[in-house]
Amino acid sequence: MSVKVPRGTQDILPGQSEKWQYIESIAKDVCRRYHYKEIRTPIFEHTELFTRSVGDTTDIVQKEMYTFEDRGERSLTLRPEGTAAVVRSFVENKMFGIPDQPTKLFYTGPMFRYERPQSGRYRQFVQFGVEAIGSEDPAIDAEVIALIMDIYKSAGLKKLKLVINSLGDAESRNAHREALIAHFEPRIDEFCTDCQTRLAKNPLRILDCKKDRDHELMATAPSILDYLNDESKAYFAKVTSYLDAIGIAYTIDPKLVRGLDYYNHTAFEVMSEAEGFGAITTLCGGGRYNGLVQDLGGPESPGIGFAFSIERFIAAMEAERTEWPVDSGLDCFIVAIGMEAKDHSVALVHELRTAGLSADRDYQDRKMKAQLKASDRQKARFTAILGEDELAEKRITVKDMAEGSQDNVLLSELTDYLKTKMEAN
Ligand code: AMP
C-alpha cells in the first residue's frame, strides 16, 4: 500500500505553487510599502507559550494543538498561529528597545491545528500575518486594516466585506462579562458542555460557539458596544473615523468577538462575498492585543495584527475568477541533434542560464520532432536548433516562436542575440 499525505494536509504542485508565490509576493510588496519587515520564528515552541497567550479556554488550546514531548522530555507544540511566537520573540530579543516604535513585522509560514478538515479548513495551512507592536495610536489600527485591504485589492479581489467591532478595554470587558453571565446563567444547561465551562472562565467565547450558534439567547445577548466605557468608545470612534478618511468601507458587527483570549479594543475580519465560495467565508482575522506583551514578560507594549491563510485567499481568487499572471514560459529551449551537438548543448544551456536567461534542453535522448514538441510545451520563446553541420560551422538556428521568424547565428553570439531580441519587446 502506498503512503498518502496526512488528513487535512496537501501537496502544492507546480501549476498551483505559482499561485502561492504570486500571493506571497503581492503581500510582501504591500508590506514593503507600509514599512513592515519580515520576522521568521520556529515552527515549534514551548507549549506553555500558547496556553498562556492564546488562552486555555479556547478551542485551539483545548482541542486543536499538535503537542508532543521531545527526547529531552520538553512539551513542545507545532505553532497553531503566529502572534504568540512573534510577541515571544519581540520580548526575548528586546525589540521594544529599538528607538523606532512601533515594531512593524510580517511573517508567513505553516500553522497546525487539529481541526475537522473540510473545504477551506486544513490541519496544516499557511498564514501570512502582520503585527505592529508598541503603539496605541488608533491610526495604527487603521493602517493595519488598510494594509490587509490593500493586499486583497492588489490581487484583484473585489467581493469582500470588512467587519469590525470593539471589545473595549479591561474595564469595559469586565462589565460586559458580568452582563453575559447574567444573561446565559439561568439557561446554561441548554448549552453545550464547552459553553458551560466558558460561562465561568470566559463567557465572551460563548458568542463564538459553533454548536449553539442558533440558540435564541444568542440573538438577544448583551452587546459589547453597550458596555464600552468613554475611553473605549472614543478609541473606536477614532479608528472608524480614520477608516472613513482613507475611504475603507466597513460594517460594525457587535457579535464579532474573535476566538483568542488576548484581544481587546479593535477586532476585525474580512469575509468573501463571492458566490460559491463555500460555508467558511472568513478570509482574514485580526485585532488589538494590549496586554499580551506584558503577559509574556515584556514591558507594556500594545499591539495589533492580523493573519490570513493563503489557502482561503486562493479559494476567494478562484470563486471571483480573478486573473492569475500568465506563465511566461522558458526563454530558450535547445534542440540538439546527434551526439556531438548534445554534448555541446551542456555548456550552451549553462551559458544561457549564467547570463540570466531561463533555458532548458532534452535529457531523454529524444528525436528532433519530440524535442521540438517539448520546446512547444514549455512555451519557449526561442527554440535554438543545433545540428552536426551547424556545429561544424560554429553556428546555430534560432526560431523566434512569437514572431515566427528564424535566424542563423554564430554560437559565440547566441546569448547576446537572444538578449537583444528579448529587450526589443
Ligand atoms: P485565526 O488565527 O483563527 O483568527 O485565523 C485567521 C485566518 O487564518 C482565518 O481567517 C483563515 O483565513 C485562516 N485559517 C484559520 N484556520 C484555518 C484552517 N484550519 N485552514 C485554513 N485556513 C485557516
Side-chain angles (χ1 to χ4, degrees):
M1 213 181 67
S2 59
V3 179
K4 302 266 168 50
V5 283
R7 193 164 135 77
T9 70
Q10 59 175 343
D11 299 317
I12 317 293
L13 306 179
Q16 283 295 317
S17 56
E18 292 81 359
K19 296 179 179 173
W20 290 67
Q21 289 170 0
Y22 175 62
I23 290 171
E24 281 161 9
S25 71
I26 286 177
K28 284 179 183 168
D29 190 58
V30 175
C31 282
R32 181 189 58 77
R33 284 196 273 120
Y34 285 69
H35 201 206
Y36 286 66
K37 304 259 172 86
E38 185 174 11
I39 181 166
R40 301 187 187 202
T41 62
I43 280 177
F44 57 82
E45 294 276 351
H46 291 288
T47 302
E48 187 196 349
L49 175 67
F50 303 112
T51 48
R52 273 174 51 184
S53 59
V54 176
D56 47 18
T57 61
T58 58
D59 281 356
I60 291 187
V61 169
Q62 285 193 341
K63 302 176 196 162
E64 297 172 3
M65 294 204 301
Y66 279 91
T67 298
F68 61 97
E69 204 168 82
D70 75 358
R71 286 164 195 272
E73 294 176 4
R74 299 169 196 92
S75 178
L76 299 171
T77 294
L78 297 183
R79 60 184 183 194
E81 58 96 52
T83 304
V86 171
V87 171
R88 186 224 10 94
S89 177
F90 176 84
V91 172
E92 191 168 345
N93 295 293
K94 298 192 173 55
M95 282 187 247
F96 44 79
I98 300 169
D100 282 321
Q101 295 295 335
T103 301
K104 305 208 292 185
L105 303 165
F106 75 84
Y107 61 85
T108 185
M111 305 294 161
F112 306 85
R113 293 184 197 172
Y114 191 80
E115 293 189 273
R116 197 170 53 79
Q118 63 186 86
S119 162
R121 190 186 287 152
Y122 299 87
R123 287 184 173 168
Q124 175 176 330
F125 54 98
V126 174
Q127 277 188 341
F128 190 103
V130 312
E131 312 292 349
I133 313 172
S135 168
E136 208 181 350
D137 184 336
I140 201 90
D141 301 43
E143 174 176 294
V144 162
I145 294 172
L147 197 164
I148 179 57
M149 298 314 282
D150 202 338
I151 292 177
Y152 287 130
K153 194 169 141 222
S154 302
L157 284 176
K158 295 194 180 79
K159 295 176 184 161
L160 300 174
K161 184 177 176 188
L162 167 66
V163 181
I164 65 169
N165 188 24
S166 173
L167 304 176
D169 60 9
E171 187 186 86
S172 314
R173 283 187 66 155
N174 277 337
H176 183 230
R177 185 191 144 93
E178 296 306 323
L180 285 171
I181 294 178
H183 179 75
F184 286 112
E185 199 166 30
R187 292 173 63 186
I188 195 66
D189 51 349
E190 294 168 29
F191 286 75
C192 70
T193 48
D194 283 341
C195 281
Q196 293 176 11
T197 322
R198 286 170 187 145
L199 183 72
K201 285 193 174 164
N202 190 352
L204 191 66
R205 294 204 25 78
I206 297 179
L207 302 180
D208 226 9
C209 181
K210 290 168 198 144
K211 282 191 212 140
D212 294 321
R213 207 183 352 218
D214 299 324
H215 192 289
E216 60 175 303
L217 284 189
M218 289 294 208
T220 53
S223 160
I224 177 74
L225 294 182
D226 296 330
Y227 292 84
L228 295 184
N229 59 17
D230 289 346
E231 280 106 24
S232 300
K233 267 189 207 149
Y235 192 92
F236 193 42
K238 266 286 189 196
V239 174
T240 52
S241 78
Y242 288 142
L243 290 176
D244 294 337
I246 53 180
I248 290 185
Y250 55 86
T251 306
I252 296 175
D253 178 0
K255 295 226 155 48
L256 174 74
V257 295
R258 306 275 306 131
L260 317 184
D261 266 8
Y262 50 62
Y263 286 115
N264 43 37
H265 285 295
T266 316
F268 60 95
E269 282 185 354
V270 185
M271 325 280 201
S272 170
E273 295 199 307
E275 244 174 80
F277 182 70
I280 307 179
T281 56
T282 312
L283 295 182
C284 172
R288 181 162 272 290
Y289 45 86
N290 286 354
L292 185 59
V293 176
Q294 271 170 309
D295 286 350
L296 294 177
E300 193 188 330
S301 313
I304 179 161
F306 66 73
F308 64 82
S309 73
I310 306 214
E311 287 82 354
R312 287 194 201 165
F313 199 130
I314 291 178
M317 297 277 287
E318 311 277 12
E320 282 199 30
R321 298 186 201 290
T322 310
E323 275 180 41
W324 296 100
V326 277
D327 171 14
S328 52
L330 268 185
D331 294 332
C332 182
F333 190 92
I334 297 174
V335 172
I337 308 139
M339 203 55 217
E340 249 186 286
K342 280 181 200 286
D343 286 347
H344 195 85
S345 70
V346 171
L348 203 54
V349 76
H350 184 72
E351 181 188 315
L352 296 182
R353 290 167 177 168
T354 311
L357 299 170
S358 66
D360 213 344
R361 66 183 281 267
D362 171 62
Y363 292 99
Q364 305 297 119
D365 202 18
R366 283 181 284 208
K367 300 254 172 0
M368 176 167 165
K369 211 170 148 196
Q371 291 190 46
L372 288 170
K373 272 195 185 155
S375 178
D376 245 17
R377 279 197 302 274
Q378 316 289 321
K379 299 195 193 85
R381 164 74 204 277
F382 298 96
T383 307
I385 307 164
L386 189 63
E388 301 204 331
D389 294 349
E390 284 161 310
L391 185 58
E393 289 171 24
K394 296 194 167 50
R395 301 186 77 87
I396 188 163
T397 302
V398 184
K399 284 188 171 185
D400 184 328
M401 310 308 269
E403 289 175 3
S405 59
Q406 179 169 322
D407 268 324
N408 191 263
V409 226
L410 273 175
L411 269 175
S412 57
E413 286 170 8
L414 177 64
T415 303
D416 287 346
Y417 171 87
L418 293 177
K419 282 195 142 178
T420 313
K421 282 208 95 174
M422 285 177 66
E423 272 158 26
N425 42 46

